[in-house]
Amino acid sequence: QVQLVESGGGLVQAGGSLRLSCAASGRTFSRYAMGWFRQAPGQQREFVAAIAWRGGTTYYTDSVKGRFTISRDNAKSTVYLQMNSLKPEDTAVYYCADQYHSGSYYRPDEYAYWGQGTQVTVSS
């Protein structure tokens, strides 16, 4: 089993920054990738960013490219999401997720474990 704990959400004005963290514990030795997703009220959960655990290749949805950066600390089994130039439309609950097989980085059903989510609210 794997446990994921997110932190770093909060309320910020448009144009501001937040850094989300997701610490993993448990049997993480065969991890393939980690990702961040978000879900706004009344909307489906959507892909935000992912990072391949071994090579470190990163992937982003178009709406956050150039503003968000995903990174990892292998030793701490932690993934980060640095969010800059935040916009009101970034408001959502953000979830980190863990993937343990070769699959699509963009599909939530390819991830086996999920954190509890952290709220990000961007005011205009």
Side-chain angles (χ1 to χ4, degrees):
Q1 280 289 348
V2 173
Q3 295 79 40
L4 303 176
V5 179
E6 299 120 333
S7 60
L11 173 64
V12 65
Q13 288 189 331
S17 298
L18 284 173
R19 188 193 194 206
L20 305 183
S21 300
C22 175
S25 60
R27 299 184 63 182
T28 62
F29 59 88
S30 59
R31 175 180 292 128
Y32 181 73
M34 289 192 78
W36 286 96
F37 289 76
R38 65 188 180 187
Q39 188 167 18
Q43 309 250 345
Q44 290 189 338
R45 191 167 298 191
E46 67 168 352
F47 170 80
V48 176
I51 185 165
W53 205 249
R54 291 187 179 180
T57 304
T58 57
Y59 306 84
Y60 299 93
T61 191
D62 286 346
S63 63
V64 308
K65 285 180 181 176
R67 300 189 298 123
F68 291 11
T69 302
I70 188 171
S71 61
R72 76 195 192 293
D73 183 327
N74 291 41
K76 296 182 178 179
S77 199
T78 297
V79 66
Y80 305 96
L81 186 68
Q82 177 66 44
M83 305 186 295
N84 299 329
S85 302
L86 282 161
K87 304 175 181 180
E89 51 263 42
D90 294 317
T91 295
V93 177
Y94 284 70
Y95 299 89
C96 69
D98 226 353
Q99 187 179 109
Y100 285 84
H101 66 273
S102 176
S104 169
Y105 297 109
Y106 306 96
R107 291 176 47 178
D109 59 358
E110 296 283 3
Y111 291 78
Y113 301 99
W114 291 82
Q116 80 286 354
T118 186
Q119 177 70 47
V120 171
T121 303
V122 185
S123 63
S124 57

